[in-house]
Amino acid sequence: MSFITAKHPMPEQDPRERIKNFKEVALGYDQETAVAEANRCLQCKGAPCQKGCPVGVEIPAFIKLIKEGDFIAAGNKIKERNNLPAVCGRVCPQENQCEKQCVLGKRGEPVGIGRLERFAADFGAAFDRTAQHLSRQLTGKKVAVIGSGPAGLTAAGDLAKLGYRVTVFEALHVPGGVLAYGIPEFRLPKDIVKREVDYLKSLGVEIKTNMIIGKTFTIDELFTDGFQAIFVATGAGLPYFMNIPGENLNGVFSANEFLTRTNLMKAYMFPEYHTPVHIGAKVAVIGAGNVAMDSARTALRLGAQKVTVVYRRSEKEMPARLEEIKHAQEEGVEFLFLTSPVKLIGDKEGWVKNMQCIRYELGEPDASGRRKPVAVPGSEFNVEVDTVIMAIGQGPNPLITQTTDGLMSNARGNIIVDERGQTTRLGVFAGGDIVTGAATVILAMGAGKQAAISIDQYLRDK
């Protein structure tokens, strides 16, 4: 038996054209290509790919349905375990999850599981006109979900399917959490996010926006209002800074602010939307994760003439997805490795104009497993900039833990939970980035799915 060792290529916008717009870069498989890619699947009996999926999607089963041309059934098969398939098909790091376990990957490239998931989800949204009838027995019990990111939406959908009355409280004016404010349109179109949210509403999930728990209501007030269990899924939206001189200059952004103003407030659609964001000609992005790649590629599309990613380790240690690094390189983003800023310098009007940097060399591996960067004495040099975007990570907002008696957090501010997602406050569960720190969409979804199971068991026992 012969095997096709490489994935079928994903059609993409030309880099020279896509840096001029915010349309989605990856264009998706057509039916013929999807079937051809599905035919690469060996349908392994042990389904190792499925074991690599944090939400347990029956991967061989949905791929078999694509192979047979039953695309709508494939999408429905995914939705049995995954409430956000079109999102996951676009932003899930399959190379570190399901595809990493694919047998074909030992001799070539694994099956394009994420690409097939996206295809099935999009096909179903475009052509499935069958009303989804949810067979369930309503329990009459109310569950509150705080945060409408991937963890919160996943838990809400699963709990609704189990018969609970679920209300999601979202601090921003649009649901979706990081899917709405953090990931750019060219990677995850916002109409896709809205479509997934609308699906959850069709399951009976109620979503209330502009609700800041800890301000609008407290956890205690939610219990008083009749909610019998609460799931905290507020993510990690508090940006980190380097605490170097000059970070308060004009033209210095956190990646969180920069991307929120671009994605959620539609800065890229000015003047149709009256919320522009300042972007200079020479932009430096500090950090090398997916958020840094998103920031750099967004800056190019907003008109920056030169965008440089500054990273204190080497290219090998970059935590961003290889696909995102490749796209950034194709679009003209430059990289300055083994370098980190130590001071930002401004002009008389208070705008950043220069960045003093120092060079690094790599030492022994640190706790993360990556080689620790060690500063080279006397290697300081300056880089001209007029915009700096700090993309070095983010942590949890402490508002809920500060306003909830008995809810404990660790030294980093992450809520402490047991293996079931139960916090130190009875009836309060937590999961996703608020527990683990900033991670991936799919890991947050896995936490949301586990929380739904635990909350269901808790309420049954109660």
Side-chain angles (χ1 to χ4, degrees):
M1 183 181 294
S2 61
F3 302 99
I4 300 174
T5 58
K7 295 178 185 177
H8 289 80
M10 170 66 81
E12 297 175 347
Q13 281 196 74
D14 185 283
R16 293 167 295 182
E17 293 300 320
R18 69 190 191 222
I19 62 171
K20 303 173 186 176
N21 65 64
F22 275 78
K23 297 177 182 177
E24 192 169 12
V25 170
L27 304 177
Y29 281 165
D30 58 20
Q31 295 182 36
E32 182 181 355
T33 307
V35 171
E37 184 63 25
N39 273 300
R40 295 184 63 228
C41 178
L42 302 178
Q43 292 292 314
C44 305
K45 290 183 179 180
C49 55
Q50 188 170 326
K51 297 173 184 176
C53 177
V55 296
V57 170
E58 294 181 34
I59 294 170
F62 94 75
I63 291 179
K64 184 174 184 289
L65 288 166
I66 292 177
K67 179 180 177 179
E68 295 169 350
D70 198 346
F71 307 136
I72 290 175
N76 289 334
K77 173 57 70 174
I78 298 170
K79 281 187 175 182
E80 290 176 5
R81 299 289 301 172
N82 184 347
N83 294 320
L84 309 172
V87 168
C88 285
R90 287 168 165 82
V91 302
C92 177
Q94 293 93 4
E95 65 274 14
N96 295 323
Q97 306 283 353
C98 52
E99 292 183 13
K100 186 176 181 180
Q101 307 300 325
C102 178
V103 172
L104 283 184
K106 297 178 180 179
R107 296 196 294 176
E109 291 186 341
V111 174
I113 297 170
R115 298 174 182 183
L116 293 175
E117 180 178 36
R118 168 186 167 154
F119 167 79
D122 289 353
F123 188 93
F127 298 106
D128 188 2
R129 296 293 176 260
T130 306
Q132 295 292 317
H133 297 290
L134 190 62
S135 178
R136 59 176 180 167
Q137 183 176 355
L138 296 176
T139 67
K141 296 178 180 179
K142 294 170 59 179
V143 178
V145 174
I146 305 173
S148 67
L153 293 178
T154 298
D158 283 6
L159 287 165
K161 292 175 182 177
L162 291 169
Y164 295 99
R165 291 173 56 194
V166 183
T167 303
V168 177
F169 296 91
E170 168 56 47
L172 296 173
H173 63 285
V174 174
V178 69
L179 306 176
Y181 74 77
I183 303 177
E185 184 82 9
F186 53 81
R187 277 218 297 140
L188 180 62
K190 299 304 161 258
D191 62 344
I192 299 293
V193 179
K194 182 179 183 302
R195 188 175 82 200
E196 305 280 57
V197 170
D198 287 345
Y199 166 69
L200 295 176
K201 289 180 179 178
S202 76
L203 299 178
V205 174
E206 181 182 9
I207 299 179
K208 294 185 176 182
T209 56
N210 298 309
M211 294 285 182
I212 304 175
I213 304 304
K215 289 286 187 180
T216 313
F217 300 107
T218 63
I219 293 283
D220 291 323
E221 288 171 332
L222 291 178
F223 279 126
T224 301
D225 197 36
F227 290 99
Q228 293 170 277
I230 297 171
F231 178 50
V232 181
T234 48
L238 196 65
Y240 292 149
F241 285 90
M242 296 186 67
N243 296 319
I244 59 175
E247 278 187 306
N248 60 340
L249 289 167
N250 294 324
V252 180
F253 297 89
S254 70
N256 185 294
E257 177 193 354
F258 180 70
L259 291 173
T260 298
R261 291 176 63 175
T262 305
N263 301 328
L264 194 64
M265 301 176 71
K266 308 295 185 186
Y268 68 95
M269 297 180 70
F270 178 79
E272 180 180 346
Y273 284 77
H274 303 296
T275 47
V277 61
H278 170 82
I279 194 74
K282 299 176 181 178
V283 178
V285 178
I286 316 304
N290 289 326
V291 173
M293 298 304 108
D294 287 343
S295 299
R297 298 172 67 197
T298 295
L300 276 177
R301 286 162 171 78
L302 290 174
Q305 297 175 13
K306 180 180 180 180
V307 178
T308 305
V309 168
V310 181
Y311 183 47
R312 60 182 186 155
R313 289 183 168 95
S314 71
E315 182 174 5
K316 182 181 178 181
E317 284 79 27
M318 290 178 69
R321 295 183 68 187
L322 292 177
E323 179 180 90
E324 302 309 318
I325 297 170
K326 169 179 169 288
H327 283 160
Q329 291 170 334
E330 290 173 348
E331 292 168 6
V333 173
E334 299 181 14
F335 293 82
L336 189 57
F337 295 112
L338 294 171
T339 300
S340 184
V342 293
K343 182 180 181 181
L344 303 178
I345 303 165
D347 61 16
K348 294 179 180 179
E349 284 72 43
W351 287 89
V352 65
K353 291 298 176 185
N354 226 298
M355 182 172 68
Q356 186 179 90
C357 297
I358 191 168
R359 299 194 188 279
Y360 283 81
E361 57 187 20
L362 295 181
E364 296 300 315
D366 60 14
S368 71
R370 294 175 295 174
R371 295 177 64 189
K372 183 177 181 179
V374 179
V376 178
S379 63
E380 292 84 357
F381 66 101
N382 285 4
V383 177
E384 287 187 13
V385 294
D386 42 25
T387 301
V388 177
I389 302 169
M390 295 293 179
I392 58 172
Q394 54 274 341
N397 189 310
L399 183 59
I400 288 180
T401 52
Q402 289 176 349
T403 57
T404 308
D405 290 338
L407 188 62
M408 294 182 62
S409 59
N410 62 23
R412 291 179 173 268
N414 302 110
I415 294 176
I416 296 172
V417 299
D418 62 18
E419 66 278 359
R420 299 167 298 154
Q422 169 72 59
T423 70
T424 52
R425 175 72 183 268
L426 185 65
V428 179
F429 297 77
D433 291 1
I434 188 64
V435 171
T436 62
T440 63
V441 167
I442 193 63
L443 289 177
M445 291 177 63
K449 187 166 284 290
Q450 177 57 53
I453 294 170
S454 298
I455 290 170
D456 178 50
Q457 187 62 55
Y458 167 75
L459 293 176
R460 287 177 184 274
D461 292 345
K462 186 178 179 181

